[in-house]
Amino acid sequence: MTVYGGLQLALFLGCLFLLTKPVGLCLVRVLDPGGRTWLDRPLKPVERLLYRFLGVDPAKEQDWRSYTRSLLLFSLAGLLFTYAVLRLQHLLPLNPQRFGPLAPDLAFNTAASFTTNTNWQNYAGETTLSYFSQMVGLVFHNFVSAAAGIAVAAALVRGLARHASRTVGNFWVDLVRVNLYLLLPMSLVLSLFLASQGVVQNFRPYVKTAAGAGATGAGAGNAIAAQVLPQGPAASQVAIKMLGTNGGGFFNANAAHPYENPTPLSNFVQMLAIFLIPAGLTYYLGRKVKDRKHGWAVWTSMALLFLVAALVCWKAESAGNPRLRTLGLDPRGGSMEGKEVRFGVPASALFATVTTDASCGAVNAMHDSFTPLGGLVPLVNIELGEVVFGGVGSGLYGMIVFIVLAVFLTGLMVGRTPEYLGKKIEAYDVKVSVLTILVPIFAILGFSAAASVGRWGLAGLGNAGPHGLSEIIYAFSSAAGNNGSAFAGLDGNTPAYNVALALAMLCGRFVMIVPVMALAGSLARKKLVPADEASFPVSGAMFIGILVGTVVIVGALTFLPALALGPIVEHFLMTGSGVLF
Amino acid sequence: MTNGLAELRRSVLAVAALAVILCGLYPLAAWVAAQVLFPGRANGSLRTTNGIVVGSDLIAPRFLGPAYFHPRPSAAGDGRDAGRSGGSNLGPLSRGLVEAVARRAADYRAENGLGAGTPLPADAVTASGSGLDPHISPENARLQAGRVARARGLAEASVIALIGASTEGRTLGVLGEPRVNVLELNLALDGVSRGGR
């Protein structure tokens, strides 16, 4: 662990802190249907035109059922749209490499993956997808799944902020406004920055480079080999891939690919882009419920969980792999298998933590080749529910569910009806909250169990021994958690895995959203209870401690047995034996 | 039920309308702006000598022979295949990984005349995440300098000086790691070799 790595981590957290309030203020305006932004002049006519085209009355709000139904129907239409694009890509334009259509199972997996904001990659961008499929089939969901996540978070925050109200907002208004006023301008700026760093943005066929023999002056037997360099409209896709915590790579190697993440600066900005909107949403929460300290307390809880994970991952990766050290490797190098020199160990460990704290899933290093404890960190991050800043929207609504549980548990301990921000937390609220916690647990452990005893599950393994089990658990955690990163040695592009992973992704997204929206509706209907000195404080050290404790304890109780058989036993085998698999 | 059908119709219309803006206008705007502002970068940071594209500053090709600095080992395709990026994805206790690293370490020592006591830079014997890593660490470059100098009949000091010129430090003093761009260094070497003869 070097001082530079520490400075990089400090700089990252410092920048995030400074950007939280500006982004939060921006969210306050965008998520208010009448809010004014400085983009009103060019975009207001577009917004009005869209409402007219869709037949939406922006002044009319929906109750939670109607809001949820709109979201589900829109997501279904988007899923079918992308499925069609991928199946028909050989007939569609912008396909200079003449790729054929995707197989039905792969197209279903990829469409489900992007609709659910997961972006699991069973496809390999540069050998499978045309520019049109990337730019239209995938980028569409990069925007709208992010906007849908933010919309659900906004509905839940409205539920908290309102009282005796039947409605929680209008889905179509939230969808349109978040895309137009937030994601679109931010993506445009970020894509140009990325292009300035070297991320490609063109529609040219793949470039063939000439072999350099003879012209080199180096003598016979020395030569530069010819190459084929993939191209494409990557910068515009990578920008929203990060801002929307999507994570699906334009290229197979994702953000490790030099055309997708060319410099340490592009890497730093991409990491910030992942956390930007989720961090801003904590400020939005504080503003809307008129308790800014509460918003910052949630931010601080997230920052603490982030910091611990980042340090553990960095330390494990710096220590490296003793099996390789005995071959004469310089121990200062750390674990470099699957990592890029320009990022090195610190920026790779930091990226792995950020991308799994959030539900992003972009990778700038191959998690499968991390040390056991270094790889444990991203896995645990996903299994805690990706509530550490988390996915855009999904991080905040996941964390609010944990707050409801924390308030409930504290209420049980002191023997008082639990209340949160003046709302009584009743049986119904606790039931739907627990349901959202249980959905991913069943999806992760259920599918993993089935895969680890089924021939279809074991057929795809890239590594043997405990690491193989880790690959399976990681795959279904990533899918159900809508993360999208992988222990990528697992070959998930088989019909069985394509379907199983797609089902896990759909459960982890939509079966979660319904109870969250039910919670939003229930909270909105409640009357306010006046606060007294016995009310549960929702800021300060005790609140932060209880919230962090709830997140960690629920996660640990659920997943520790499975983790013990995967990364944890692997760690002890690495340090305490000579066994190889 | 009619309400549900209306909502379904609205969903389809929303997909169409948003696709035009987000998947048509947005990437085209980014394309025009990037092509005007950063044409070289947006088109792949290609490097040409005498009008022929020899590679990209961002993606190292395979360099054959002792007179070139060698980039890192690669698991992309069948080895440094720029059309099929990716890592080995071998776990830390994988026999395949340990055997591959042992083989590469022996080759690297033999090629560069290093004794068993010289610690090897980790990047010299491990495969990168993309398999296309354009960089090597400065230590890795220095260990290869003697071999390259001998193969070209140059003084080792002048090769070391070229390494220095192709080395980039941490961005803003803290971000990333110091690194040497292999293509840039090798093309600079070719320039010196040609000029010297």
Side-chain angles (χ1 to χ4, degrees):
Chain A
M1 294 174 95
T2 60
V3 64
Y4 298 104
L7 286 171
Q8 181 168 244
L9 176 58
L11 187 66
F12 176 74
L13 206 54
C15 287
L16 186 69
F17 173 71
L18 293 177
L19 288 166
T20 296
K21 186 175 170 183
V23 174
L25 286 173
C26 186
L27 281 160
V28 170
R29 286 160 180 252
V30 169
L31 291 168
D32 170 5
R36 301 168 84 87
T37 73
W38 55 275
L39 286 168
D40 275 0
R41 189 175 290 235
L43 292 180
K44 201 76 190 171
V46 182
E47 186 189 353
R48 286 206 194 98
L49 190 69
L50 280 170
Y51 293 149
R52 199 175 318 150
F53 182 65
L54 301 179
V56 168
D57 175 1
K60 212 172 136 196
E61 292 211 338
Q62 298 168 289
D63 64 16
W64 79 266
R65 285 169 208 273
S66 164
Y67 195 103
T68 311
R69 190 180 59 177
S70 299
L71 186 152
L72 293 178
L73 284 174
F74 174 70
S75 301
L76 176 68
L79 184 128
L80 296 175
F81 168 69
T82 294
Y83 181 81
V85 167
L86 298 177
R87 292 285 290 146
L88 300 173
Q89 76 169 357
H90 56 302
L91 305 174
L92 293 164
L94 293 178
N95 186 3
Q97 305 308 120
R98 297 174 187 279
F99 292 128
L102 269 65
D105 56 313
L106 181 59
F108 171 57
N109 181 283
T110 306
S113 166
F114 278 74
T115 307
T116 56
N117 199 260
T118 309
N119 299 24
W120 173 270
Q121 279 179 256
N122 271 351
Y123 65 91
E126 65 266 44
T127 55
T128 321
L129 293 181
S130 73
Y131 296 161
F132 187 88
S133 295
Q134 300 251 29
M135 186 175 95
V136 178
L138 304 191
V139 165
F140 177 75
H141 289 290
N142 283 0
F143 276 99
V144 300
S145 70
I150 295 172
V152 172
L156 184 56
V157 171
R158 288 181 194 125
L160 279 169
R162 293 172 180 185
H163 48 94
S165 165
R166 206 180 53 81
T167 61
V168 292
N170 183 313
F171 171 72
W172 302 106
V173 172
D174 288 338
L175 176 72
V176 165
R177 288 185 60 85
V178 168
N179 275 312
L180 283 188
Y181 295 108
L182 186 72
L183 298 177
L184 194 60
M186 284 171 94
S187 299
L188 197 55
V189 173
L190 182 57
S191 63
L192 289 182
F193 168 76
L194 292 173
S196 80
Q197 295 296 298
V199 180
V200 289
Q201 178 73 10
N202 62 56
F203 295 98
R204 301 180 178 191
Y206 293 4
V207 174
K208 288 196 178 69
T209 70
T216 62
N222 294 295
I224 309 177
Q227 285 173 296
V228 174
L229 302 175
Q231 302 291 313
S236 53
Q237 182 160 342
V238 174
I240 184 61
K241 151 196 167 192
M242 295 302 176
L243 286 166
T245 63
N246 293 283
F250 194 89
F251 301 105
N252 187 45
N254 208 299
H257 197 291
Y259 274 166
E260 196 152 336
N261 191 4
T263 64
L265 188 60
S266 71
N267 187 63
F268 186 78
V269 172
Q270 288 188 16
M271 290 190 293
L272 266 183
I274 296 173
F275 270 0
L276 202 54
I277 296 174
L281 277 166
T282 63
Y283 187 83
Y284 169 77
L285 168 70
R287 269 292 285 254
K288 295 310 279 185
V289 301
K290 301 203 173 57
D291 185 347
R292 282 181 221 190
K293 278 193 195 152
H294 178 51
W296 283 111
V298 172
W299 190 95
T300 310
S301 310
M302 292 173 166
L304 284 174
L305 284 163
F306 158 71
L307 208 54
V308 171
L311 290 172
V312 171
C313 187
W314 178 25
K315 183 159 175 28
E317 291 307 290
S318 304
N321 181 347
R323 291 287 190 288
L324 302 187
R325 263 205 310 278
T326 56
L327 301 172
L329 266 64
D330 189 337
R332 286 173 304 172
S335 160
M336 280 302 285
E337 181 71 23
K339 294 190 180 65
E340 304 281 301
V341 168
R342 63 191 179 283
F343 309 136
V345 165
S348 302
L350 183 55
F351 197 107
T353 309
V354 169
T355 197
T356 51
D357 271 341
S359 75
C360 183
V363 294
N364 78 350
M366 297 302 133
H367 295 182
D368 212 351
S369 296
F370 275 30
T371 58
L373 294 185
L376 176 73
V377 168
L379 183 52
V380 167
N381 278 342
I382 296 172
E383 291 178 345
L384 291 183
E386 292 159 341
V387 291
V388 180
F389 299 104
V392 284
S394 60
L396 184 68
Y397 65 66
M399 198 52 140
I400 291 177
V401 166
F402 273 112
I403 295 173
V404 168
L405 281 185
V407 169
F408 170 66
L409 293 174
T410 340
L412 283 185
M413 284 189 272
V414 299
R416 223 187 108 95
T417 308
E419 41 183 89
Y420 171 35
L421 294 166
K423 299 283 176 76
K424 273 205 175 95
I425 301 298
E426 292 160 302
Y428 179 83
D429 311 301
V430 176
K431 274 187 211 159
V432 290
S433 298
V434 169
L435 196 57
T436 62
I437 305 274
L438 286 179
V439 166
I441 292 176
F442 278 109
I444 293 170
L445 293 178
F447 279 112
S448 294
S452 52
V453 296
R455 194 171 296 164
W456 63 274
L458 300 173
L461 291 186
N463 284 278
H467 204 78
L469 181 64
S470 302
E471 284 184 342
I472 293 176
I473 297 173
Y474 199 105
F476 287 105
S477 300
S478 176
N482 295 155
N483 185 272
S485 67
F487 272 15
L490 180 84
D491 177 14
N493 188 15
T494 60
Y497 262 117
N498 273 327
V499 172
L501 288 166
L503 292 177
M505 292 188 264
L506 291 167
C507 284
R509 175 79 171 180
F510 297 110
V511 184
M512 284 252 323
I513 280 182
V514 175
V516 167
M517 287 301 300
L519 181 65
S522 161
L523 288 169
R525 277 193 303 273
K526 289 176 195 289
K527 295 202 179 66
L528 276 183
V529 187
D532 58 35
E533 74 269 17
S535 299
F536 181 65
V538 289
S539 55
M542 185 164 79
F543 169 74
I544 292 169
I546 289 173
L547 180 57
V548 168
T550 307
V551 172
V552 171
I553 290 167
V554 169
L557 283 177
T558 313
F559 293 107
L560 213 48
L563 295 173
L565 298 173
I568 295 174
V569 74
E570 190 184 22
H571 172 73
F572 289 113
L573 287 173
M574 183 178 83
T575 52
S577 79
V579 68
L580 289 175
F581 293 95
Chain B
M1 205 56 231
T2 45
N3 202 354
L5 280 178
E7 205 62 0
L8 192 59
R9 182 170 162 274
R10 186 173 286 151
S11 299
V12 174
L13 290 179
V15 169
L18 289 174
V20 170
I21 297 172
L22 305 173
C23 314
L25 300 179
Y26 159 65
L28 289 180
W31 174 65
V32 170
Q35 290 290 332
V36 170
L37 296 173
F38 320 106
R41 301 282 176 94
N43 290 322
S45 309
L46 301 177
R47 174 81 66 132
T48 50
T49 50
N50 307 325
I52 301 165
V53 179
V54 292
S56 162
D57 288 340
L58 296 178
I59 294 176
R62 277 190 303 139
F63 286 98
L64 312 170
Y68 280 118
F69 283 89
H70 297 159
R72 298 177 62 188
S74 166
D78 300 323
R80 205 158 272 283
D81 179 348
R84 290 161 68 196
S85 62
S88 73
N89 285 309
L90 294 173
L93 298 188
S94 147
R95 188 179 302 278
L97 174 69
V98 174
E99 286 175 358
V101 172
R103 199 166 52 242
R104 291 170 192 153
D107 291 350
Y108 188 85
R109 286 181 197 281
E111 198 174 69
N112 297 299
L114 304 174
T118 315
L120 302 182
D123 68 289
V125 290
T126 53
S128 70
S130 64
L132 312 174
D133 199 335
H135 299 113
I136 54 178
S137 65
E139 303 79 52
N140 183 354
R142 277 195 290 274
L143 289 176
Q144 298 189 43
R147 178 199 82 219
V148 172
R150 273 192 302 282
R152 288 181 183 253
L154 296 170
E156 190 170 337
S158 64
V159 174
I160 298 270
L162 281 178
I163 295 176
S166 302
T167 302
E168 248 187 293
R170 293 184 173 87
T171 311
L172 308 174
V174 288
L175 304 182
E177 295 292 317
R179 57 208 183 272
V180 178
N181 187 306
V182 185
L183 179 73
E184 187 184 315
L185 175 59
N186 280 332
L187 292 181
L189 267 175
D190 281 349
V192 170
S193 296
R194 258 200 307 278
R197 277 169 201 188

